[in-house]
Amino acid sequence: MPEKETIVVIGAGVIGLTTALRIQETLNRNQSIHLIARDFPNTTSLNYASPWAGAHYRPVPGSTPQALREETQAKETYGYLKQLASSDPSSGIAVVEGVEHLEDPPVEYLDEQSVQESYGHLDGFRRLGREECPAGVSWGVRYDTVTINSPVYCAYLLRKFVLGGGVTREYTVIDPTEAFYLAPNVKTVVNCSGLGFGDERSFIIRGQTCLVRNPCNQTVTRQNTDGSWSFCIPRPLSGGTIIGGTKQPRDYNPSPLLETREKLLANAAKWFPFAPGSDGKFDVIRDIVGRRPAREGGMRIEAEKVEDGRFVIHAYGAGGRGFELSYGVAADVVKLMVSNKLVGEKASL
């Protein structure tokens, strides 16, 4: 009987976890899967971005190749997350109303075809009339979105992977080819490392948000006249509410800045649906700083053949859209593996 083949996935962020699960569904009886990572959902690290995320589903209109690719991946992910919210609330996902109010919408939001392509798949999507928008808002929409309690969801994905027979190992990989030696008979390594092991096109985006106790039952995304954005995202399962946020490319400051917190809360206080008795103030639990692993031109999703017929499948660089793209990215990875005859194809998750 031939030795069992092992597929190794590097990285236990939301992309790595989701990808490992989708691959697990395609394995034949002579294959097993290992998940190797520096950080897992039970750990807290500034460079482990997924547990720090808001997170919610929000379309991003655009016509670049990257935008169109992400739109396809996001639509597939939306359908999966929506289904998961109804079938298993313990996943930490819930369907809520999403509202967007833009004071000075960028040009891509003024292209009706682009907006329809980006938003049209969302349940309950419609443009808001001027009379429905707050003062100063010139563009508004509402739709049914999903919000994600990110630490809960990451732990849920890991639990499913382990219960499905997956093996985990905490290990800091230096180069993806190292993973060929970390388990028996490895022919395929899937690189979901986030920043991609020295890829010159990869960079971090520093994000600072604030977790507050104030409840709300919708996501609100607000663009201000000066071009800045703010948002609130309720975390399911009594996880508080995220007030955000910043996007600071290549900013390595690990510490939350008080002035940033004050600006985030001041912007959100202008529109946040405060409950009676809150006096219009936020009750802060903690500041959050995370480093989103981004890449110029978008994610690298590619099959690389290395010596002896081995393959490294790359899937990294999602930036701030890891949760929104995760299921679609995992599908693209599986397609690459199937086309290279690295796995068989069975029913999806």
Side-chain angles (χ1 to χ4, degrees), residues 141-307:
V141 295
R142 67 85 53 210
Y143 48 83
D144 294 344
T145 186
V146 291
T147 61
I148 304 166
N149 187 324
S150 46
V152 171
Y153 182 55
C154 288
Y156 170 86
L157 294 175
L158 179 61
R159 189 165 64 248
K160 281 190 70 173
F161 175 75
V162 172
L163 289 173
V167 176
T168 65
R169 179 178 177 184
E170 187 177 317
Y171 184 89
T172 301
V173 176
I174 302 301
D175 185 279
T177 58
E178 183 180 5
F180 288 110
Y181 305 95
L182 298 179
N185 195 25
V186 179
K187 296 180 181 177
T188 308
V189 171
V190 184
N191 172 19
C192 299
S193 59
L195 287 172
F197 298 106
D199 184 334
E200 292 182 355
R201 294 169 67 180
S202 292
F203 62 98
I204 62 105
I205 300 176
R206 180 185 185 273
Q208 181 171 333
T209 59
C210 196
L211 180 64
V212 301
R213 293 184 177 85
N214 305 69
C216 64
N217 58 8
Q218 61 182 188
T219 68
V220 179
T221 302
R222 180 71 174 251
Q223 184 237 20
N224 305 304
T225 305
D226 63 4
S228 63
W229 295 74
S230 56
F231 57 80
C232 72
I233 304 169
R235 278 184 165 178
L237 302 178
S238 303
T241 300
I242 295 287
I243 303 294
T246 67
K247 292 183 179 179
Q248 299 161 290
R250 299 178 173 85
D251 185 330
Y252 281 90
N253 186 347
S255 303
L257 302 176
L258 180 59
E259 57 266 35
T260 300
R261 177 215 279 193
E262 291 174 345
K263 184 176 181 181
L264 293 176
L265 297 184
N267 279 338
K270 299 172 186 175
W271 48 258
F272 187 82
F274 286 104
S278 64
D279 296 325
K281 295 180 180 179
F282 289 108
D283 185 0
V284 175
I285 299 172
R286 65 174 299 174
D287 297 298
I288 295 172
V289 173
R291 292 173 177 164
R292 308 174 182 102
R295 185 173 180 271
E296 295 169 5
M299 286 194 74
R300 182 185 182 190
I301 302 177
E302 181 183 4
E304 178 187 0
K305 192 171 184 178
V306 295
E307 73 281 346

Side-chain angles (χ1 to χ4, degrees), residues 310-323:
R310 294 168 168 176
F311 279 84
V312 176
I313 309 295
H314 299 282
Y316 62 85
R321 303 199 73 196
F323 284 85

Side-chain angles (χ1 to χ4, degrees), residues 56-196:
H56 67 142
Y57 183 93
R58 178 180 171 270
V60 179
S63 56
T64 65
Q66 176 186 348
L68 295 175
R69 183 175 65 247
E70 290 184 356
E71 190 174 280
T72 300
Q73 294 164 339
K75 286 176 180 177
E76 184 165 358
T77 305
Y78 175 72
Y80 168 68
L81 294 176
K82 189 176 62 170
Q83 178 271 327
L84 198 54
S86 63
S87 65
D88 195 349
S90 72
S91 62
I93 300 172
V95 175
V96 301
E97 179 183 43
V99 175
E100 297 185 26
H101 293 146
L102 279 57
E103 295 182 6
D104 185 20
V107 62
E108 55 266 27
Y109 288 86
L110 303 178
D111 182 331
E112 286 301 323
Q113 181 178 348
S114 176
V115 169
Q116 190 59 40
E117 288 175 354
S118 297
Y119 287 83
H121 64 288
L122 295 163
D123 293 342
F125 167 69
R126 66 180 179 85
R127 291 285 300 270
L128 299 178
R130 286 291 183 117
E131 71 283 356
E132 298 177 273
C133 295
V137 170
S138 62
W139 188 96
V141 295
R142 67 85 53 210
Y143 48 83
D144 294 344
T145 186
V146 291
T147 61
I148 304 166
N149 187 324
S150 46
V152 171
Y153 182 55
C154 288
Y156 170 86
L157 294 175
L158 179 61
R159 189 165 64 248
K160 281 190 70 173
F161 175 75
V162 172
L163 289 173
V167 176
T168 65
R169 179 178 177 184
E170 187 177 317
Y171 184 89
T172 301
V173 176
I174 302 301
D175 185 279
T177 58
E178 183 180 5
F180 288 110
Y181 305 95
L182 298 179
N185 195 25
V186 179
K187 296 180 181 177
T188 308
V189 171
V190 184
N191 172 19
C192 299
S193 59
L195 287 172

